[in-house]
Amino acid sequence: MNMFKQCFCAVALLMLCSTSVAGKEALEVIVLPFEINAPEGIESLRNQITSLVAKQLKDEGAIVLEAPLKLPGKRKEQGLKGLRRLGVEAGADFVVWGSFTQIGKRYSLDAKVLESYATTPPQIIYVEGKGAENLINSVLQLSRDIGIKIFKKEIVAEVVITGNKRIEAEAIKRVIKSKKGDIYSAKHVRDDVKSIYKMGYFGDVRVEATSTPQGKVLTFQVKERETIRNIALAGNKKFDDEKIRGLITARSGSILNINVIQHDLKEIEKLYKEKGYHHAKVTYEIKPVAKNRADIRFLIEEGEKVVIKKISFDGNNAYSDNKLKDLMKTKEKGFFSWFTSSGDLDPEVLDRDISKIAAYYHNHGYIHAKVGEPELTYKNNWIYITIKVEEGPRFTVGKVELEGDLIRPKEELLKSVKIRKERIYNREVIRRDILILGDIYSDAGYAYAEISPRIHEDTKRSQADITYVIKKGPPVYFERIIISGNTKTRDKVIRRELKVYEHELFSGKRLKEGTRNLYRLDFFEDIKVNTTKGSADDKMILKVNVKEKPTGAFSFGGGYSSVDHMFAMGSVSQKNLFGRGQILALKAQLGSRTTNYTFSFTEPWLFDIPLSAGFDLYNTTRDYDTYDKDSFGGAIRLGYPIFNYTRASFAYNYEKADIKNLTDDVSHWIRDMEGENTSHTITGMLRRDSRDRIFSPTEGSDNSVVVKHAGSPMGGDIGFTRYVVESGWYIPLFWSTVGFLHGRTGFIHGDSTGKMPLWERFYLGGMNSVRGYDWRDIGPKDPATGDKIGGNKMLQFNLEFIFPIVKKSGFKGVLFYDTGNAYNNREDMKLGELRQSTGFGFRWYSPIGPIRLEYGYILDDKEGQKGQGGWEFTLGAAF
């Protein structure tokens, strides 16, 4: 019983404090205390039930009179005559009494309503329920039923919809308030008619309320609007029909909906206003036709184009109008407006410009600067924009302090605070400081650290003291890591890239690195990482939802070279074999003179540690002008990460190359290689790759040092040592553009125990070096025979400007400049002798895979090639 009492008291107290609503028929009622029949009789529960019933009757409009302090005898002994006499003496129209009975967890509320001035028997009302949590609702239900009896209200017995043919009755019932079992209300019915009209599908709505023994039956009679037959446009000259029809959501064959038509009017007007036609007006007319159908005609009055004549500022002293205009994307009409769209008014862009100006002031010391809403004045076909500015004083930076929960020495933390180096107050720098400090705390496990700047302004000296107040909160642990969305990729493949683990301290830095690692896998189209509170304040649940994409690929590419003429390259690969992250690839290059097959396999996590291992098998046949080369071999590879983004790798390669079919005039460089040549090669590489994407990165870098050695002490016919250093940097620029700087240099020297192979020397030209030149076209040639013999050293530079064309679909353009050369033994690397090209291209990570199409144009005039060039492409198809 105590449970019933506590639950009832808490809710009833809140309800008894609410405001009563009066204004109905003034009936007077006495509510007698309810009897309590329970294992533990609790007197307070009796009073609470009685008070709540009385409160609800007051809200219904009754006048509740106080019951006599002493009732004559027990309730049963009073009889109906005694209770009726009690009501008459008190001047009450009704007497209400009842009881609460509990049996186990179930209970019953029983009430009787007696009319004082009549001889009719009392009306009996009861409500049953289970559980203390439902008691308050049961009392409210009982009170509602008592009110119905007292005020002789009617119940809505049924709601009927008629006249509808295409709009379902249930759809109409969802918008009306009157429901079966509710108290009938004429106001609700009026509102219901309005709500049905607002649906837009009906031209006429009527309602009929019929009284029955069960209550009111409400019948809503609707008349549906016509069906749209045709939609026509009139008056549009600036935009063709197809452009405007693309905005219209009304469709032929659907029911004419005024709401939809009004929406379409606004969309058409919006289109015109975005292009400067701010006086454009769009109306419509409906022409009924046979069989309850109608034609709709949108009538467009375009008006003249209205453009911005002048933008002026009021109240600016620190910065000129021209300076503030430079911050805005909204511009005055200029000479080249037909090309730049200057003078066009876009309200959303103008709003962003206002925010940009305000931010500029706040970032240059004007703490209290305010930029008002722009005032637009229309005169004929011109718009005049006036922007009011309140600058206020300019503040410098005073003392910078930290206080609160410091997890490191104050001076060490202050070194990370950039605002100390600023002379002028800068809100953006403060925002970045908060992020920096937040990262420091999150990396220490304080995921919910609160960092807020407290600014103390010295108005006399116009100086602002800044104190970062830090509340670290409790250290937070990962309670669970939930992986979802992966139907192919195994959970462990995702977990091992995250760099965070269950039951360890939260780290924002490692979580960001893990998210980047998942993107770099290139297994997923989208990755969403969310954190939610765990079972306690110091626990967090990490949710990683991925959307997988095809990881198998069939790719091919082609081009033209002076050796192979037309050639094609293709590959079949799977970079997430069986969902384990393993890579399997078969590649082939077929040309008129070259055939090359390669089969490779890579396990990125051998023994479930980040030790990558793999092997390659290959077979190559090449027909040169003066000789043929057949080779086959294989390699074993190992790699291990040693720092963030940095991996050391090692490979052993065995190859047997057969040089045959030499012509009489072949170069001595090649004749020295005639016959079978066996090589044992080891390769060591140190690579740091921090790119955010493998294809079309937007930031990060890729740097590597590679040393390759054959010969002593491993033996074989081949002996050399080859060094290559390479560095590529992706730099985010403006407007989602990216700059790419790339450099590569190499050197090779022979080993006394073996021969120097020509195929290990350096050649430039083609898609991945100096575009515009044929593949391997740049490099030393034998002066006697003209054979390409490659250089023992080389230098290459590439500069690219990558810009979005269709940003949403990932279609990009590129402008590039390439330069480089390969030099022979005893030749110096002279920058003045670098071969040069420039050009443009397109890149698209299409649904069938990555595509590159680029044209190179030769700039230097060596060998009479200036002005020449050509297209090259690669294309991948995903499956």
Side-chain angles (χ1 to χ4, degrees), residues 520 687 689-694 697 699-702 730:
R520 284 161 51 84
R687 182 179 184 185
D689 185 358
S690 63
R691 294 174 297 171
D692 59 345
R693 301 284 192 281
I694 300 301
E699 62 178 343
S701 64
D702 187 5
Y730 294 87

Side-chain angles (χ1 to χ4, degrees), residues 477-528:
Y477 295 82
F478 287 111
E479 182 176 14
R480 282 187 298 156
I481 299 176
I482 301 173
I483 311 293
S484 62
N486 52 317
T487 58
K488 177 183 177 182
T489 307
R490 302 193 180 197
D491 275 14
K492 77 172 187 177
V493 173
I494 299 174
R495 288 178 183 272
R496 69 195 185 193
E497 299 293 341
L498 285 175
K499 305 301 182 185
V500 294
Y501 307 93
E502 291 176 342
H503 309 302
E504 77 164 7
L505 271 174
F506 174 89
S507 171
K509 182 179 180 180
R510 283 189 287 118
L511 183 56
K512 291 177 183 177
E513 291 176 359
T515 304
R516 174 175 285 200
N517 289 343
L518 289 179
Y519 274 110
R520 284 161 51 84
L521 285 176
D522 204 27
F523 297 170
F524 310 110
E525 183 178 319
D526 189 29
I527 301 170
K528 294 180 180 178

Side-chain angles (χ1 to χ4, degrees), residues 32 72 74-89 93-97 111-124:
L32 301 179
K74 292 184 179 180
R75 193 78 46 85
K76 292 181 180 179
E77 297 174 356
Q78 293 171 6
L80 295 181
K81 289 184 179 180
L83 291 171
R84 192 170 273 123
R85 184 170 56 254
L86 174 65
V88 171
E89 291 175 356
D93 298 293
F94 293 92
V95 178
V96 177
W97 73 94
K112 294 181 180 180
V113 179
L114 180 66
E115 195 169 354
S116 302
Y117 298 97
T119 58
T120 55
Q123 300 181 72
I124 299 174

Side-chain angles (χ1 to χ4, degrees), residues 782-850:
D782 189 324
T785 65
D787 289 328
K788 296 176 181 178
I789 58 175
N792 75 321
K793 47 189 168 293
M794 69 87 182
L795 194 61
Q796 172 191 333
F797 298 103
N798 307 93
L799 175 64
E800 293 184 352
F801 177 69
I802 305 166
F803 53 93
I805 297 177
V806 183
K807 188 174 181 180
K808 187 175 182 180
S809 64
F811 184 58
K812 299 183 179 182
V814 59
L815 303 175
F816 63 82
Y817 170 77
D818 298 337
T819 184
N821 207 344
Y823 303 87
N824 209 341
N825 300 359
R826 294 181 297 277
E827 286 184 345
D828 295 331
M829 292 195 298
K830 298 178 180 179
L831 296 180
E833 296 182 356
L834 296 180
R835 313 300 292 272
Q836 304 174 63
S837 70
T838 187
F840 62 93
F842 306 96
R843 296 174 184 175
W844 182 29
Y845 208 137
S846 71
I848 63 171

Side-chain angles (χ1 to χ4, degrees), residues 251-315:
R251 293 290 180 263
S252 297
S254 63
I255 296 177
L256 195 156
N257 189 317
I258 296 301
N259 295 336
V260 174
I261 300 299
Q262 292 291 346
H263 170 270
D264 293 343
L265 293 182
K266 292 178 182 178
E267 288 298 309
I268 297 172
E269 287 183 351
K270 181 180 177 182
L271 171 67
Y272 275 90
K273 289 179 180 179
E274 286 176 351
K275 297 302 180 181
Y277 296 90
H278 293 275
H279 296 319
K281 295 181 180 179
V282 185
T283 57
Y284 69 94
E285 62 180 17
I286 300 173
K287 182 180 179 181
V289 294
K291 299 181 180 179
N292 197 35
R293 293 182 296 172
D295 293 336
I296 301 175
R297 193 180 187 203
F298 290 94
L299 306 174
I300 302 171
E301 296 180 19
E302 295 178 329
E304 293 297 322
K305 187 172 184 178
V306 183
V307 294
I308 300 170
K309 176 70 172 178
K310 185 174 180 59
I311 301 174
S312 58
F313 294 86
D314 182 14

